Amino acid sequence: MSDQHRADAIGAAGNTLIHTPNLDHLCHDGVSFRNAYCQSPLCAPSRASLLTGRHCRACGAFTQKTPLREGIATMGDLFRTTGYETAFFGKSQVIGETDRRDLGFTHRALRYYARDMKDYIDAAGEEEAKLYNPGWPEFLKQCYNPTNTPLDMKASDMFDAFVAEAAVRFLRKHGERKFFLMVGLEKPHPYWYAPDEFHALYSPKDMRPPVGYDEALSGVPESLIKRQRYLESHTYSAKEVRGCIAAYYANVSYMDRQVGRILNALRELGLAGDTMVVYTSDHGEMLFDHGLLQKHCFFESAVRVPLVFSGAGIPGRGRMREEIVGLIDLLPTFVDMFNLDLPDGISGRSLAPAIAG
């Protein structure tokens, strides 16, 4: 699971500019849902909704600060009580998770935002962590990287590299058992800076203009315009907009590299044939469509997400499904496919029939 990855920023989805070989492999080897949507265009509510199979109003996660209600079962709970080894490495940002409330995951590490950056600082060092994320108020100045400038940092020192490595270590140690592993990659959430090899893949002049950008904020609700003024999306020139898009793509490609490391580990350990792999993101990114940045709205670019099922138990190759589905459908799908106990109050529906054709 990545953060802020819009559904059209994958090569296999028809984007001829972006370089995502590992996600393309998943798509070509499995089933993709072209019309998959998050339940909230905001990190914490969307993640809580996904983990519980419930709408935000049902699980209590309305904002970035409201916690998941006590006593609600998560995917981790359902798999662990059925005998699976459960793990969740990387960005969780489910409010209400604590050292004692583990959301059903026996193995956890490298949390980011859910509490603070301490795990990343411990792994990479304080100087590297500050280079990766300078923090507020620097976030609002150049976080979208309009010059498509590389980050002077080794790929191995970036947060997602540590997350992927933790996932690989888990597979080496526990891969012979039944396992349910969640990997929370932080990119392509801003800052849109990555090592040079990823920015070098893209030239700003090749980037396509955003959807509806000529109309900018015409017809957009005033409350949303105020937020966008805060994000300063209106201050970028056409050249800078193309630079930001190139930088976003560079960060998607960096994230794709980490996905590849995990897929390679599955193959090298002989686990690929017995493992189902699901890829998605918590919400999209406006990327200047209609003059907007970030998410915080229900335009298509903010709420439509990639959703791919690949590997063991997934019939066919390269199939596209057109049904309108949601991230709340993941939990009941897993219940259906792995004979788990379905909790009461679930909002989603199983995708297993659509996956089977």
PDB file of all heavy atoms in Angstrom, residues 107-121:
ATOM      1  N   HIS A 107       3.913  -8.274  14.363  1.00  0.00           N
ATOM      2  CA  HIS A 107       5.193  -7.651  14.014  1.00  0.00           C
ATOM      3  C   HIS A 107       4.912  -6.273  13.409  1.00  0.00           C
ATOM      4  O   HIS A 107       4.204  -6.156  12.415  1.00  0.00           O
ATOM      5  CB  HIS A 107       5.954  -8.517  13.015  1.00  0.00           C
ATOM      6  CG  HIS A 107       6.122  -9.934  13.445  1.00  0.00           C
ATOM      7  ND1 HIS A 107       7.161 -10.353  14.252  1.00  0.00           N
ATOM      8  CD2 HIS A 107       5.361 -11.039  13.195  1.00  0.00           C
ATOM      9  CE1 HIS A 107       7.050 -11.647  14.470  1.00  0.00           C
ATOM     10  NE2 HIS A 107       5.966 -12.091  13.845  1.00  0.00           N
ATOM     11  N   ARG A 108       5.494  -5.245  14.025  1.00  0.00           N
ATOM     12  CA  ARG A 108       5.331  -3.879  13.525  1.00  0.00           C
ATOM     13  C   ARG A 108       6.660  -3.146  13.626  1.00  0.00           C
ATOM     14  O   ARG A 108       7.420  -3.363  14.566  1.00  0.00           O
ATOM     15  CB  ARG A 108       4.282  -3.108  14.336  1.00  0.00           C
ATOM     16  CG  ARG A 108       2.861  -3.614  14.209  1.00  0.00           C
ATOM     17  CD  ARG A 108       1.912  -2.777  15.054  1.00  0.00           C
ATOM     18  NE  ARG A 108       2.200  -2.902  16.482  1.00  0.00           N
ATOM     19  CZ  ARG A 108       1.797  -2.029  17.405  1.00  0.00           C
ATOM     20  NH1 ARG A 108       1.116  -0.954  17.058  1.00  0.00           N
ATOM     21  NH2 ARG A 108       2.088  -2.230  18.682  1.00  0.00           N
ATOM     22  N   ALA A 109       6.914  -2.278  12.679  1.00  0.00           N
ATOM     23  CA  ALA A 109       8.130  -1.464  12.724  1.00  0.00           C
ATOM     24  C   ALA A 109       8.005  -0.320  11.738  1.00  0.00           C
ATOM     25  O   ALA A 109       7.171  -0.343  10.831  1.00  0.00           O
ATOM     26  CB  ALA A 109       9.366  -2.310  12.392  1.00  0.00           C
ATOM     27  N   LEU A 110       8.867   0.691  11.926  1.00  0.00           N
ATOM     28  CA  LEU A 110       9.006   1.814  10.997  1.00  0.00           C
ATOM     29  C   LEU A 110       7.705   2.579  10.801  1.00  0.00           C
ATOM     30  O   LEU A 110       7.304   2.904   9.687  1.00  0.00           O
ATOM     31  CB  LEU A 110       9.545   1.327   9.652  1.00  0.00           C
ATOM     32  CG  LEU A 110      11.010   0.903   9.691  1.00  0.00           C
ATOM     33  CD1 LEU A 110      11.364   0.048   8.491  1.00  0.00           C
ATOM     34  CD2 LEU A 110      11.919   2.132   9.747  1.00  0.00           C
ATOM     35  N   ARG A 111       7.042   2.880  11.901  1.00  0.00           N
ATOM     36  CA  ARG A 111       5.855   3.726  11.811  1.00  0.00           C
ATOM     37  C   ARG A 111       6.264   5.152  11.450  1.00  0.00           C
ATOM     38  O   ARG A 111       7.347   5.618  11.776  1.00  0.00           O
ATOM     39  CB  ARG A 111       5.090   3.713  13.145  1.00  0.00           C
ATOM     40  CG  ARG A 111       4.332   2.414  13.365  1.00  0.00           C
ATOM     41  CD  ARG A 111       3.312   2.236  12.257  1.00  0.00           C
ATOM     42  NE  ARG A 111       2.445   1.094  12.459  1.00  0.00           N
ATOM     43  CZ  ARG A 111       2.517  -0.022  11.737  1.00  0.00           C
ATOM     44  NH1 ARG A 111       3.425  -0.159  10.808  1.00  0.00           N
ATOM     45  NH2 ARG A 111       1.665  -1.000  11.956  1.00  0.00           N
ATOM     46  N   TYR A 112       5.368   5.844  10.762  1.00  0.00           N
ATOM     47  CA  TYR A 112       5.671   7.171  10.227  1.00  0.00           C
ATOM     48  C   TYR A 112       4.379   7.971  10.247  1.00  0.00           C
ATOM     49  O   TYR A 112       3.394   7.559   9.628  1.00  0.00           O
ATOM     50  CB  TYR A 112       6.198   7.011   8.796  1.00  0.00           C
ATOM     51  CG  TYR A 112       6.765   8.258   8.156  1.00  0.00           C
ATOM     52  CD1 TYR A 112       8.037   8.683   8.474  1.00  0.00           C
ATOM     53  CD2 TYR A 112       6.052   8.958   7.215  1.00  0.00           C
ATOM     54  CE1 TYR A 112       8.590   9.798   7.858  1.00  0.00           C
ATOM     55  CE2 TYR A 112       6.586  10.071   6.589  1.00  0.00           C
ATOM     56  CZ  TYR A 112       7.863  10.490   6.913  1.00  0.00           C
ATOM     57  OH  TYR A 112       8.405  11.590   6.306  1.00  0.00           O
ATOM     58  N   TYR A 113       4.358   9.069  10.983  1.00  0.00           N
ATOM     59  CA  TYR A 113       3.195   9.937  11.169  1.00  0.00           C
ATOM     60  C   TYR A 113       2.223   9.375  12.205  1.00  0.00           C
ATOM     61  O   TYR A 113       1.592  10.130  12.916  1.00  0.00           O
ATOM     62  CB  TYR A 113       2.410  10.178   9.873  1.00  0.00           C
ATOM     63  CG  TYR A 113       3.128  10.977   8.830  1.00  0.00           C
ATOM     64  CD1 TYR A 113       2.809  10.842   7.482  1.00  0.00           C
ATOM     65  CD2 TYR A 113       4.119  11.891   9.181  1.00  0.00           C
ATOM     66  CE1 TYR A 113       3.456  11.567   6.511  1.00  0.00           C
ATOM     67  CE2 TYR A 113       4.775  12.616   8.209  1.00  0.00           C
ATOM     68  CZ  TYR A 113       4.437  12.459   6.879  1.00  0.00           C
ATOM     69  OH  TYR A 113       5.080  13.183   5.918  1.00  0.00           O
ATOM     70  N   ALA A 114       2.044   8.050  12.271  1.00  0.00           N
ATOM     71  CA  ALA A 114       1.074   7.518  13.233  1.00  0.00           C
ATOM     72  C   ALA A 114       1.442   7.957  14.636  1.00  0.00           C
ATOM     73  O   ALA A 114       0.577   8.240  15.451  1.00  0.00           O
ATOM     74  CB  ALA A 114       1.028   5.995  13.145  1.00  0.00           C
ATOM     75  N   ARG A 115       2.719   8.001  14.913  1.00  0.00           N
ATOM     76  CA  ARG A 115       3.189   8.572  16.176  1.00  0.00           C
ATOM     77  C   ARG A 115       4.126   9.738  15.878  1.00  0.00           C
ATOM     78  O   ARG A 115       3.838  10.869  16.219  1.00  0.00           O
ATOM     79  CB  ARG A 115       3.865   7.480  17.015  1.00  0.00           C
ATOM     80  CG  ARG A 115       2.903   6.419  17.515  1.00  0.00           C
ATOM     81  CD  ARG A 115       3.553   5.555  18.570  1.00  0.00           C
ATOM     82  NE  ARG A 115       4.519   4.637  17.999  1.00  0.00           N
ATOM     83  CZ  ARG A 115       4.250   3.372  17.716  1.00  0.00           C
ATOM     84  NH1 ARG A 115       3.056   2.892  17.947  1.00  0.00           N
ATOM     85  NH2 ARG A 115       5.164   2.579  17.208  1.00  0.00           N
ATOM     86  N   ASP A 116       5.251   9.455  15.263  1.00  0.00           N
ATOM     87  CA  ASP A 116       6.191  10.506  14.871  1.00  0.00           C
ATOM     88  C   ASP A 116       7.191   9.886  13.909  1.00  0.00           C
ATOM     89  O   ASP A 116       6.961   8.811  13.357  1.00  0.00           O
ATOM     90  CB  ASP A 116       6.882  11.104  16.109  1.00  0.00           C
ATOM     91  CG  ASP A 116       7.494  10.031  16.990  1.00  0.00           C
ATOM     92  OD1 ASP A 116       8.019   9.035  16.458  1.00  0.00           O
ATOM     93  OD2 ASP A 116       7.454  10.183  18.219  1.00  0.00           O
ATOM     94  N   MET A 117       8.331  10.564  13.697  1.00  0.00           N
ATOM     95  CA  MET A 117       9.344  10.043  12.790  1.00  0.00           C
ATOM     96  C   MET A 117      10.440   9.276  13.521  1.00  0.00           C
ATOM     97  O   MET A 117      11.479   8.970  12.940  1.00  0.00           O
ATOM     98  CB  MET A 117       9.972  11.196  11.999  1.00  0.00           C
ATOM     99  CG  MET A 117       9.073  11.782  10.934  1.00  0.00           C
ATOM    100  SD  MET A 117       9.865  13.153  10.062  1.00  0.00           S
ATOM    101  CE  MET A 117      11.285  12.350   9.319  1.00  0.00           C
ATOM    102  N   LYS A 118      10.215   8.941  14.779  1.00  0.00           N
ATOM    103  CA  LYS A 118      11.278   8.341  15.580  1.00  0.00           C
ATOM    104  C   LYS A 118      11.833   7.066  14.935  1.00  0.00           C
ATOM    105  O   LYS A 118      13.056   6.856  14.913  1.00  0.00           O
ATOM    106  CB  LYS A 118      10.772   8.032  16.991  1.00  0.00           C
ATOM    107  CG  LYS A 118      11.841   7.427  17.900  1.00  0.00           C
ATOM    108  CD  LYS A 118      11.301   7.134  19.286  1.00  0.00           C
ATOM    109  CE  LYS A 118      12.397   6.589  20.190  1.00  0.00           C
ATOM    110  NZ  LYS A 118      13.045   5.374  19.650  1.00  0.00           N
ATOM    111  N   ASP A 119      10.952   6.208  14.441  1.00  0.00           N
ATOM    112  CA  ASP A 119      11.418   4.947  13.848  1.00  0.00           C
ATOM    113  C   ASP A 119      12.352   5.199  12.672  1.00  0.00           C
ATOM    114  O   ASP A 119      13.352   4.497  12.504  1.00  0.00           O
ATOM    115  CB  ASP A 119      10.222   4.107  13.386  1.00  0.00           C
ATOM    116  CG  ASP A 119       9.442   3.517  14.547  1.00  0.00           C
ATOM    117  OD1 ASP A 119       9.851   3.729  15.701  1.00  0.00           O
ATOM    118  OD2 ASP A 119       8.428   2.854  14.293  1.00  0.00           O
ATOM    119  N   TYR A 120      12.020   6.199  11.865  1.00  0.00           N
ATOM    120  CA  TYR A 120      12.868   6.514  10.713  1.00  0.00           C
ATOM    121  C   TYR A 120      14.174   7.138  11.161  1.00  0.00           C
ATOM    122  O   TYR A 120      15.252   6.808  10.626  1.00  0.00           O
ATOM    123  CB  TYR A 120      12.118   7.430   9.758  1.00  0.00           C
ATOM    124  CG  TYR A 120      12.884   7.803   8.506  1.00  0.00           C
ATOM    125  CD1 TYR A 120      13.716   6.886   7.863  1.00  0.00           C
ATOM    126  CD2 TYR A 120      12.777   9.084   7.957  1.00  0.00           C
ATOM    127  CE1 TYR A 120      14.412   7.232   6.716  1.00  0.00           C
ATOM    128  CE2 TYR A 120      13.466   9.425   6.811  1.00  0.00           C
ATOM    129  CZ  TYR A 120      14.283   8.503   6.193  1.00  0.00           C
ATOM    130  OH  TYR A 120      14.975   8.847   5.060  1.00  0.00           O
ATOM    131  N   ILE A 121      14.117   8.023  12.140  1.00  0.00           N
ATOM    132  CA  ILE A 121      15.344   8.633  12.668  1.00  0.00           C
ATOM    133  C   ILE A 121      16.271   7.561  13.229  1.00  0.00           C
ATOM    134  O   ILE A 121      17.484   7.582  13.010  1.00  0.00           O
ATOM    135  CB  ILE A 121      15.000   9.681  13.746  1.00  0.00           C
ATOM    136  CG1 ILE A 121      14.285  10.870  13.097  1.00  0.00           C
ATOM    137  CG2 ILE A 121      16.256  10.149  14.466  1.00  0.00           C
ATOM    138  CD1 ILE A 121      13.716  11.868  14.089  1.00  0.00           C
TER     139      ILE A 121
END
